[in-house]
Amino acid sequence: MIKLKKCSSDLPTKGFYLFDGNIQLSLMVRVGVNGYGVIGRRIAYAVSKQDDMELVGIAKGHPDYKAKLASAKGFKIYSSDLSGTGAFDRAGVVVSGTIDDLLQNVDIIVDCTPEGIGEKNKPLYEKAGCRAIWQGGEEHSISGLSFNAYANYGQAFGARYARVVSCNTTGLLRTLFPLKAAFGIKSVNAFLVRRAADPSETKKGPINALELEKQMPSHHGDDVKTVIPELNISTTAIKASTTLMHIHHVTVELGSGATSDELLDAWSGYRRIVAVSARDGLASTAHLMDMARDMGRGMGDLYEIAVWKEMLVDGSRLEYMQAVHQESDVVPENVDAIRAMCSIEKDAAKSIEKTDRSLGIGLSL
Ligand code: NAD
């Protein structure tokens, strides 16, 4: 984790440096990203914005436009094909080696490969002796530690392996954790309307149907329990022919009664939640994404979970709707997981604040 660098006359622009005569110690954690699709690209960008982390490089399978754009951004590229870099060489994309070379030079690798591939990559990470984070497409058993910054940052401190839970699970944990902390929760029932595909996916569907999740209850409730085991939660889900966002309808039996003002006040203490109103014209996922693009963030992302102020509250029974930008809500979680696992910051609130500041998270409408 500690890099030794010769002291130069130029002041460093990134990282913490301890000066000791001629030597400066850089305490930046060296991070690699394996898989550079929807999630990997965003995590690479977020890591590159941190002053206590260094993005060593990204691993990719194909020399496509994403590889060329990564190169233009100055990211080092490694071939995820262990047999060599031939495909990249033929396409004229400069690579620094294979995934094995990347793993030799990182403290932690963030696996962002498609569901099921992350499991197959585990022996590579074990052999290299680096820490590893997987995404929600993998099972909890891959690491035995499922992560959400608000709910269990401390459990990941110093951990070798962790899995950042999926976009839907992250969305549920984000808004349920503050409710549990403020009022207690007796039970949760959530109905998830999931986007069928991401905007760049052309081969997934349905394109003109609402499709039932085959399993009832859906797996999302059990996934929430990998982070908060004691939560009494059940979920059902359908897929809808949209690419923009997921929408959740959440019914909660709180431990104590609350008014809608008290509920909004409880959520307002958490920057990764934004309260929105249909009265402001934010009555659909299209409007939320339009707002996100207007904010000028990289890739037009909405890291925050949007909760509609229009909710039903009857004593301790609460019904609310929320929207989840599936492409980006897990991104700040990965940054915090790196900070916890590499023991950079013990205090969850400090890490979350740092991540949020670097990504401009924290909207108030
Ligand atoms: P993606 O298909 O967009 O990107 C995957 C990347 O991995 C691509 O760059 C692909 O070329 C590369 N890849 C494919 N096979 C590989 C291999 N064998 N070795 C190395 N790289 C390989 O996938 P994604 O949507 O970014 O999903 C990645 C993970 O994040 C999955 O676990 C997924 O469940 C999870 N996740 C996805 C979303 C989402 O909405 N897309 C949200 C949250 C979590």
Side-chain angles (χ1 to χ4, degrees):
M1 195 203 308
I2 295 175
K3 277 198 327 183
L4 281 176
K5 283 185 181 173
K6 272 256 158 96
C7 192
S8 77
S9 55
D10 296 323
L11 278 177
T13 54
K14 227 180 158 184
F16 305 116
Y17 291 78
L18 304 177
F19 292 90
D20 177 16
N22 249 355
I23 299 292
Q24 62 190 37
L25 287 176
S26 159
L27 300 184
M28 280 196 290
V29 161
R30 300 168 306 158
V31 184
V33 174
N34 187 16
Y36 196 67
V38 171
I39 301 299
R41 276 186 293 171
R42 288 170 165 85
I43 292 174
Y45 165 78
V47 167
S48 77
K49 300 289 281 181
Q50 307 307 310
D51 65 10
D52 48 3
M53 297 174 197
E54 175 193 358
L55 180 71
V56 176
I58 61 106
K60 253 200 110 339
H62 306 286
D64 59 8
Y65 73 95
K66 293 175 208 162
K68 291 178 181 174
L69 283 173
S71 193
K73 286 177 188 167
F75 296 167
K76 279 191 178 161
I77 302 171
Y78 294 79
S79 167
S80 56
D81 179 355
L82 283 169
S83 65
T85 60
F88 289 88
D89 300 339
R90 283 190 293 280
V93 176
V94 176
V95 280
S96 304
T98 67
I99 177 77
D100 264 347
D101 300 307
L102 176 62
L103 293 175
Q104 290 313 311
N105 287 301
V106 299
D107 302 304
I108 186 162
I109 188 83
V110 186
D111 187 294
C112 301
T113 60
E115 192 175 323
I117 303 289
E119 174 93 56
K120 295 190 179 127
N121 288 334
K122 191 173 181 182
L124 284 179
Y125 308 152
E126 284 171 336
K127 191 173 134 213
C130 59
R131 290 184 155 75
I133 296 176
W134 287 272
Q135 306 305 311
E138 307 302 326
E139 300 290 328
H140 170 73
S141 57
I142 196 164
S143 61
L145 173 62
S146 290
F147 180 85
N148 173 265
Y150 285 156
N152 68 347
Y153 181 95
Q155 282 175 25
F157 192 74
R160 179 154 183 207
Y161 298 134
R163 159 188 174 262
V164 169
V165 291
S166 74
C167 46
N168 277 301
T169 307
T170 296
L172 288 166
L173 285 162
R174 282 261 182 88
T175 52
L176 289 172
F177 178 78
L179 295 182
K180 185 171 178 291
F183 311 103
I185 290 180
K186 288 186 184 154
S187 66
V188 182
N189 280 285
F191 176 60
L192 281 51
V193 181
R194 300 172 57 202
R195 60 91 181 95
D198 289 328
S200 61
E201 284 178 316
T202 53
K203 294 195 171 67
K204 275 190 179 173
I207 58 168
N208 187 22
L210 297 173
E211 188 179 298
L212 265 68
E213 189 81 36
K214 291 182 189 73
Q215 198 183 317
M216 216 170 151
S218 69
H219 70 275
H220 306 93
D222 281 344
D223 206 32
V224 168
K225 287 198 229 176
T226 63
V227 179
I228 308 181
E230 69 278 14
L231 200 67
N232 176 12
I233 178 169
S234 176
T235 54
T236 48
I238 61 168
K239 263 195 233 168
S241 42
T242 177
T243 63
L244 298 178
M245 299 180 90
H246 308 298
I247 281 203
H248 300 165
H249 173 247
V250 190
T251 305
V252 186
E253 192 61 49
L254 296 165
S256 59
T259 64
S260 55
D261 281 348
E262 286 167 338
L263 290 158
L264 289 170
D265 195 43
W267 279 321
S268 72
Y270 296 80
R271 281 180 303 274
R272 294 180 187 177
I273 299 169
V274 58
V276 298
S277 173
R279 286 188 293 277
D280 290 334
L282 291 167
S284 74
T285 53
H287 294 116
L288 288 171
M289 284 289 92
D290 186 52
M291 175 189 78
R293 286 194 297 271
D294 201 10
M295 290 186 317
R297 285 181 180 163
M299 299 183 89
D301 287 337
L302 187 66
Y303 302 111
E304 298 88 346
I305 303 303
V307 181
W308 271 281
K309 291 178 189 170
E310 291 81 9
M311 60 179 94
L312 289 174
V313 191
D314 182 7
S316 59
R317 184 187 156 86
L318 159 69
E319 289 182 54
Y320 66 96
M321 306 275 281
Q322 65 178 27
V324 175
H325 185 219
Q326 77 281 356
E327 296 176 287
S328 68
D329 69 329
V330 299
V331 172
E333 306 295 329
N334 276 271
V335 174
D336 290 322
I338 294 169
R339 221 173 255 121
M341 292 166 70
C342 295
S343 309
I344 311 178
E345 176 57 71
K346 203 162 195 172
D347 186 327
K350 284 188 186 159
S351 175
I352 291 168
E353 209 268 334
K354 194 172 175 67
T355 306
D356 290 355
R357 200 163 6 97
S358 70
L359 298 176
I361 294 175
L363 283 173
S364 184
L365 294 173

